[in-house]
Amino acid sequence: MAKDVVELDQVIIRFAGDSGDGMQLTGDQFTSTTAAFGNDLKTLPDFPAEIRAPAGTLPGVSAFQLNFGDHTIMTPGDQAHVLVAMNPAALKANLKELRKGGDLIVNTDEFGDRAVSKVGYVSNPIEDGSLDGYNVHKIALTSMTVQALSEFDITKKEAERAKNMFALGLLLWLYSRPIEPTLKFLAGKFGKKPDILAANNKALQAGWSFGETTESFANQYVIKPAQMPAGTYRNISGNLALSYGLIAASVQSGIPLYLGSYPITPASDILHELSKHKNFGVRTFQAEDEIAGIGAALGASYAGLLGVTTTSGPGVALKSEAIGLAVSLELPLIIVDVQRGGPSTGLPTKTEQADLLQAMFGRNGEAPVPIVAPQSPSDCFNAAIEAARIAITYRTPVFLLSDGYIANGAEPWRVPNPADLPQIEVKFADGPNHKLEDGTEVFWPFKRDPETLARPWAIPGVAGLEHRIGGIEKADGTGNISYDPTNHDFMVRTRQAKIDGIAKSISPLVVHDPSGSAKVLVIGWGSTYGPVEAACEEVRNQGVDVAHAHLRHLNPFPSNTGDVLKKYDKVLIPEMNLGQLGLLIRAKYLVDAIGFNQVRGLPFKTQELVDAIKDVVASV
Amino acid sequence: MSENFPSLSLVPKTDDKQSAKDFKSDQEVRWCPGCGDYAILAAVQGFMPELGVKRENIVFVSGIGCSSRFPYYMNTYGLHSIHGRAPAIATGLATSRPDLSVWVVTGDGDALSIGGNHLIHALRRNVNLKILLFNNRIYGLTKGQYSPTSPLGKITKSSPVGSLDHPFNPLSVAIGAEATFVARTVDSDRAHLQSVLRAAAAHEGTALIEIYQNCDIFNDGAFEPMKNADSRDDVTIRLEHGEKIIFGANKDRCVIRNKDGQLVVAQVSEVDQAQIIVHDAHLDDPTYAFGLTRISHPETLQDTPIGVLRDIKRPSYDRLMREQLDQVIAKDGPGDLAKLILGKDTWEVN
Ligand code: SF4
């Protein structure tokens, strides 16, 4: 029975189930198919810290949201159009994420009395009328999957496990996407288990066919490809893009990459990824703790490699002393902080931007460290190269502040041609750099480049450059131990001036203000770029002028930042913290900026930002 | 010369005639007069020419403490880092550059207290590092608090009525941590100290050398029984690989296994010659070397073994890491950035 095909411009789908139901995999697969189809998209994996909390309980619910459309998509979307709830717990935890009137697909097999009461429902929600405001599709996903797989020589449990493929097949049908990419993916995943492979393939096809025949869905939908600049595209998550960016920085600088790291959520995927690329000369060292991770990376930098350490907020706290040493030694080093909810262990799998001040100030003494923050999953690639450029050029540790949202979220990426990537020039010291009064040529490890104020990078193995350095204050020039008050004052100011001087090498802050007559500037940083830009667009569509600027460099700020801020009557700073960029902006530029702050472990919803922006505009 | 040091096979050799003087930096040495560190420095500087490698390919890395000032006084590359972390930093260095001879200088507080974790993990990994642990059983640079090797009941600034901390034995710890090379020596015995350095330099992997070092300001005389000509030979067991363990001024004492299998000290006159243990540093079973570390009485220093207790062969971590890289490159070819970032799932937009 051919169904009517209806065209839509955008759809938000949310998959929710037990941690063991394979919702992340289902979401990823729908995403890559959709990306390859040509839609623009953003994703939001939303999962618990526990690996497998008890089945059927609220803490065990794992969800995946995807927003895709025929135009530019900036966020994973506010409320979903479609929610797939694999069990009562998933329904209970996610119903508020489904818009009124939205399509709700429930797996009726899991809605037995016990399962329903286990999560605190007093009556069965799929029967008691409480879901009347939604378009409910009651589908026996589990039993239909088992039935479809009856011909296979697999256990009932194995058959049941394929129900996510049935659900995926149904959704692929609903939005007119091909199943071939998933068949290819399954072949790779289960190639060594032919029975399981055949069963999953069959479940996927059964889901698709069910869509065609069931009366539960009257229509099939199409969402045309989005207009995107010409090029070759792929789908990419932030942690993967960041890993590739680090490898690219190594290739573009010609020095091998060395990762010293200790496993921590949500940064571990970078360690996993980099450990796969030994053929790029990448050395990965899984250390005994966070401190040894950065210690080894710093040792590698001293040896002339590109030292990197990856972690999240709690790990940064442990690394602080070593970061201070890197500041004092003036060696290149990249510290990747994939921020998560804090303080302490906080919310390991949820996002937050509350490590900005830790990155900025979390060390003893005056220890300035440059900070670069990517704005989207794919932007992690370029941000990593930029962090390496600053680290290598200025011989300094650099913070790369990603967060859980962009680390795990994904989007289409126009893959760059390596020939178009910036070169990073590495110059190791190769001989004396100073003439003493008596004419002797000597090497001074702390004689600086007058332009960048960087000291020479003098790696072991070069005759005549033997020198000793450490964390004790060094005399300007010679680098010998010095407790001289005037020298210390000079060195502290010089290290600060070196970091401040990086501003000369970064692009000015750009303001997006189409009408040119906005009175309110919204300024953000890091992963809030998408939601803030989406909200500004929405506000402008409603006829209200608003300007948007986004900071990629948090230390130092672009040189024109103060001028930009002063052009506007009001400045609004949305952040997933209690006002950390706000504090820096207020302190540095004496601007009475207004904060819009949330620490819910989730990215901003567009509508909340729209309301916040309109409130500020109304107050001008 | 460096042919004798397989662990330095990738470090560039020198034809220059080196002397101890070549290894003295221009920095003024700032230890207290009479500190045991001076003797160790002189012994190390005197030994370095034996390596036969280029001076610029030698790096000394240290943590924090009196001993950790050592790198400043060596005319090699040197890195004075932060408290306890030298083994971690040196691991990054040694795994990055096989052409370097990497030495770590540390103390009992630095290596065993704040840096204990890094020490045990460097030992089990067997990174090509030579760790000189100056054990003076006290905190010197912070002016005299008890350390993890101070005896129980030790009166110090932070333990005016006696320390409550049971000390540990660094060599027992090292063997428990799967160390492949463990040795002990004394600051004042230059010939012995250098013989141990020689064995450590030859060893592929992490070598831990505990050096009993006198802090004449805060713990003077801590090792006196092992230094005083009257008592020295009676308390010290000088281990030689392949030799029977017999010691004492009159060579009247020895090490045997008792009926429980424990290594113990006995009178030579009371045992069969066949019962006397022949020292075998290459024995894979760590319980033997561990047993040796437990013979001594740390407070009186009676029956303290010095020399190489354990020296076994296990590939170094940095070599294994290099081999993994080489194998992957041999198999997959060198990395191609364009191919990597494209991945397998792409689509074209025209
Ligand atoms: S305090 Fe002790 S260990 Fe430190 S330099 Fe003085 S004598 Fe040597």
Side-chain angles (χ1 to χ4, degrees):
Chain A
M1 178 181 78
K3 298 193 179 176
D4 288 343
V5 176
V6 177
E7 189 176 327
L8 300 174
D9 63 353
Q10 182 190 1
V11 177
I12 303 166
I13 301 180
R14 192 172 176 92
F15 297 94
D18 254 339
S19 299
D21 281 345
M23 291 297 98
Q24 301 304 322
L25 187 148
T26 309
D28 277 341
Q29 221 29 59
F30 192 94
T31 300
S32 52
T33 305
T34 294
F37 183 78
N39 297 123
D40 196 11
L41 61 87
K42 289 275 187 301
T43 70
L44 176 66
D46 187 5
F47 48 86
E50 293 74 18
I51 305 304
R52 295 265 165 102
T57 63
L58 291 173
V61 174
S62 173
F64 185 100
Q65 186 161 317
L66 163 72
N67 182 7
F68 64 105
D70 66 2
H71 53 275
T72 303
I73 298 292
M74 302 298 299
T75 75
D78 289 3
Q79 283 184 307
H81 299 98
V82 184
L83 171 65
V84 179
M86 301 298 277
N87 65 16
L91 177 67
K92 187 152 198 191
N94 286 279
L95 189 62
K96 60 182 183 309
E97 308 296 341
L98 177 65
R99 61 187 64 197
K100 278 276 172 296
D103 286 296
L104 172 61
I105 299 172
V106 288
N107 178 11
T108 51
D109 289 324
E110 302 292 332
F111 279 73
D113 291 347
R114 270 192 56 195
V116 163
S117 59
K118 191 170 181 180
V119 294
Y121 283 118
V122 272
S123 60
N124 194 334
I126 59 174
E127 282 155 12
D128 66 7
S130 60
L131 300 176
D132 283 355
Y134 304 94
N135 189 12
V136 183
H137 307 270
K138 297 184 198 174
I139 304 175
L141 283 169
T142 313
S143 47
M144 279 200 288
T145 306
V146 172
Q147 202 185 350
L149 304 184
S150 55
E151 63 187 90
F152 293 99
D153 185 21
I154 55 173
T155 64
K156 179 150 179 265
K157 220 171 162 187
E158 284 168 335
E160 285 178 353
R161 212 174 283 155
K163 64 180 180 292
N164 63 331
M165 285 301 120
F166 188 100
L168 177 60
L170 172 60
L171 270 287
L172 289 173
W173 169 82
L174 189 59
Y175 295 103
S176 320
R177 313 313 33 219
I179 59 169
E180 283 69 27
T182 304
L183 293 175
K184 202 171 129 200
F185 164 81
L186 290 171
K189 188 171 162 76
F190 297 118
K192 293 199 183 89
K193 299 177 188 161
D195 284 345
I196 304 288
L197 171 62
N200 275 280
N201 286 348
K202 182 73 195 278
L204 184 72
Q205 276 150 351
W208 171 280
S209 314
F210 173 75
E212 276 194 322
T213 49
T214 180
E215 286 172 12
S216 187
F217 293 98
N219 300 316
Q220 195 179 14
Y221 300 96
V222 290
I223 297 90
K224 290 215 176 113
Q227 288 290 331
M228 297 203 241
T232 305
Y233 282 77
R234 63 168 290 164
N235 191 44
I236 199 153
S237 71
N239 273 348
L240 187 58
L242 201 152
S243 307
Y244 287 175
L246 292 172
I247 294 174
S250 158
V251 171
Q252 297 304 98
S253 62
I255 51 175
L257 184 66
Y258 191 105
L259 175 70
S261 182
Y262 186 75
I264 186 169
T265 302
S268 304
D269 282 340
I270 304 170
L271 168 62
H272 305 161
E273 186 60 35
L274 289 177
S275 65
K276 290 188 215 159
H277 302 295
K278 300 191 194 308
N279 57 337
F280 283 86
V282 177
R283 291 163 175 80
T284 52
F285 172 65
Q286 182 178 315
E288 58 272 23
D289 61 24
E290 294 280 359
I291 300 172
I294 189 171
L298 187 58
S301 289
Y302 177 67
L305 275 61
L306 178 56
V308 179
T309 191
T310 48
T311 189
S312 187
V316 173
L318 287 164
K319 294 177 198 290
S320 301
E321 190 190 14
I323 299 170
L325 177 64
V327 169
S328 177
L329 294 177
E330 304 192 44
L331 284 171
L333 182 70
I334 299 174
I335 304 127
V336 178
D337 175 2
V338 185
Q339 299 165 95
R340 65 191 219 187
S344 187
T345 306
L347 304 173
T349 58
K350 309 289 178 194
T351 198
E352 204 161 280
Q353 292 183 299
D355 291 351
L356 176 58
L357 294 183
Q358 177 174 232
M360 193 74 196
F361 300 119
R363 289 165 294 284
N364 64 306
E366 297 286 353
V369 176
I371 304 170
V372 178
Q375 66 180 37
S376 74
S378 67
D379 186 48
C380 290
F381 181 82
N382 293 322
I385 297 175
E386 172 64 355
R389 177 192 73 84
I390 295 174
I392 290 171
T393 311
Y394 294 88
R395 324 267 200 261
T396 175
V398 175
F399 263 104
L400 185 53
L401 277 189
S402 178
D403 66 38
Y405 163 46
I406 46 179
N408 290 317
E411 65 180 351
W413 178 42
R414 184 156 63 113
V415 184
N417 181 344
D420 300 334
L421 297 177
Q423 289 292 329
I424 302 174
E425 198 198 344
V426 173
K427 209 177 157 302
F428 295 127
D430 54 6
N433 61 353
H434 188 77
K435 209 183 240 167
L436 296 178
E437 273 173 21
D438 66 3
T440 330
E441 302 248 341
V442 291
F443 176 66
W444 275 14
F446 277 79
K447 182 167 174 173
R448 294 170 191 281
D449 178 299
E451 183 56 32
T452 59
L453 297 181
R455 77 174 191 93
W457 192 0
I459 63 174
V462 184
L465 268 52
E466 294 87 349
H467 64 283
R468 278 68 50 191
I469 50 173
I472 301 185
E473 186 60 282
K474 291 153 285 282
D476 176 38
T478 65
N480 292 333
I481 291 181
S482 168
Y483 301 119
D484 178 72
T486 313
N487 176 73
H488 178 58
D489 187 87
F490 176 80
M491 290 297 272
V492 167
R493 290 176 196 278
T494 305
R495 285 187 289 261
Q496 182 68 51
K498 179 178 81 168
I499 303 308
D500 292 343
I502 295 169
K504 283 182 275 185
S505 74
I506 63 184
S507 337
L509 182 62
V510 178
V511 181
H512 183 50
D513 178 11
S515 73
S517 50
K519 300 242 178 314
V520 171
L521 172 72
V522 185
I523 185 164
W525 69 280
S527 77
T528 59
Y529 173 77
V532 172
E533 180 57 20
C536 289
E537 270 306 309
E538 176 61 27
V539 168
R540 289 178 201 128
N541 288 343
Q542 296 176 18
V544 180
D545 290 331
V546 65
H548 178 203
H550 189 79
L551 286 164
R552 177 185 197 67
H553 295 89
L554 283 307
N555 191 34
F557 289 128
S559 326
N560 65 332
T561 306
D563 297 338
V564 167
L565 292 166
K566 284 179 181 127
K567 278 198 204 124
Y568 295 88
D569 291 355
K570 293 249 161 116
V571 174
L572 175 67
I573 307 183
E575 291 180 89
M576 296 186 289
N577 59 41
L578 294 187
Q580 301 196 1
L581 174 62
L583 188 83
L584 296 176
I585 294 270
R586 292 172 74 99
K588 191 162 163 101
Y589 300 108
L590 300 178
V591 168
D592 189 13
I594 303 160
F596 179 70
N597 306 94
Q598 280 188 356
V599 278
R600 304 175 58 247
L602 292 166
F604 284 116
K605 297 233 150 96
T606 308
Q607 190 55 49
E608 296 160 349
L609 284 170
V610 167
D611 295 344
I613 295 167
K614 280 164 54 184
D615 279 353
V616 175
V617 173
S619 73
V620 174
Chain B
M1 286 292 121
S2 60
E3 295 82 73
N4 302 330
F5 300 111
S7 80
L8 301 176
S9 62
L10 298 174
V11 182
K13 320 269 173 288
T14 183
D15 296 328
D16 295 351
K17 181 114 192 61
Q18 296 169 333
S19 71
K21 227 176 102 225
D22 294 315
F23 289 91
K24 291 194 171 100
S25 79
D26 61 355
Q27 297 297 296
E28 182 195 341
V29 183
R30 297 192 196 174
W31 288 309
C32 307
C35 174
D37 292 358
Y38 284 96
I40 305 173
L41 178 64
V44 172
Q45 287 168 335
F47 168 72
M48 283 286 128
E50 272 191 49
L51 294 177
V53 300
K54 293 193 162 158
R55 201 162 43 103
E56 61 270 23
N57 290 77
I58 300 172
V59 187
F60 278 79
V61 183
S62 65
I64 292 291
C66 291
S67 58
S68 286
R69 298 296 177 94
F70 197 95
Y72 288 113
Y73 311 135
M74 293 294 298
N75 192 13
T76 61
Y77 282 83
L79 185 51
H80 177 220
S81 76
I82 43 178
H83 210 7
R85 317 305 170 201
I89 292 169
T91 294
L93 188 56
T95 50
S96 294
R97 295 275 303 271
D99 62 326
L100 302 179
S101 168
V102 183
W103 298 72
V104 170
V105 179
T106 182
D108 42 320
D110 194 55
L112 298 168
S113 200
I114 194 166
N117 199 29
H118 308 306
L119 180 73
I120 58 174
H121 290 280
L123 291 170
R124 78 170 163 95
R125 287 193 188 101
N126 204 32
V127 185
N128 206 2
L129 306 173
K130 312 304 158 205
I131 303 177
L132 313 184
L133 194 168
F134 297 15
N135 182 2
N136 55 18
R137 297 186 170 176
I138 199 79
Y139 282 83
L141 198 61
T142 51
K143 301 194 175 168
Q145 301 83 10
Y146 59 94
S147 89
T149 53
S150 302
L152 192 66
K154 176 94 179 163
I155 307 274
T156 71
K157 281 204 182 119
S158 56
S159 54
V161 288
S163 142
L164 302 174
D165 278 35
H166 187 83
F168 59 20
N169 179 325
L171 299 191
S172 306
V173 172
I175 293 165
E178 306 286 341
T180 54
F181 183 103
V182 171
R184 180 187 285 136
T185 186
V186 184
D187 57 3
S188 50
D189 188 344
R190 179 182 299 203
H192 188 267
L193 204 162
Q194 291 185 334
S195 74
V196 167
L197 292 176
R198 203 168 292 125
H203 176 77
E204 186 194 326
T206 312
L208 179 76
I209 305 174
E210 179 186 28
I211 307 173
Y212 281 160
Q213 174 247 323
N214 192 46
C215 168
D216 59 324
I217 302 295
F218 296 110
N219 203 15
D220 196 22
F223 304 103
E224 195 52 26
M226 292 177 70
K227 300 181 175 216
N228 189 313
D230 294 338
S231 55
R232 176 169 75 198
D233 293 337
D234 273 326
V235 302
T236 310
I237 305 177
R238 300 177 85 94
L239 298 169
E240 296 287 348
H241 177 74
E243 304 280 327
K244 283 187 176 155
I245 309 180
I246 296 178
F247 67 104
N250 302 320
K251 300 279 172 213
D252 55 353
R253 296 156 72 225
C254 61
V255 173
I256 59 158
R257 265 186 210 287
N258 69 11
K259 60 179 184 345
D260 298 327
Q262 252 178 336
L263 293 179
V264 291
V265 171
Q267 294 294 324
V268 173
S269 58
E270 292 170 9
V271 301
D272 271 354
Q273 279 290 315
Q275 276 182 279
I276 302 175
I277 299 284
V278 176
H279 178 50
D280 183 358
H282 305 325
L283 213 54
D284 207 51
D285 174 12
T287 57
Y288 164 68
F290 187 82
L292 284 177
T293 68
R294 308 311 291 178
I295 284 181
S296 57
H297 304 272
E299 291 193 34
T300 60
L301 295 166
Q302 185 61 48
D303 308 334
T304 302
I306 63 170
V308 179
L309 283 81
R310 178 171 171 80
D311 180 5
I312 60 153
K313 279 202 181 1
R314 189 184 341 134
S316 70
Y317 181 90
D318 36 297
R319 173 144 72 92
L320 295 174
M321 195 186 220
R322 275 196 308 281
E323 285 173 359
Q324 269 195 346
L325 295 198
D326 292 346
Q327 281 159 9
V328 174
I329 291 169
K331 191 169 139 274
D332 302 343
D336 175 342
L337 183 60
K339 230 171 107 188
L340 172 77
I341 61 180
L342 271 179
K344 293 197 182 105
D345 262 326
T346 58
W347 65 94
E348 297 296 325
V349 172
N350 299 314

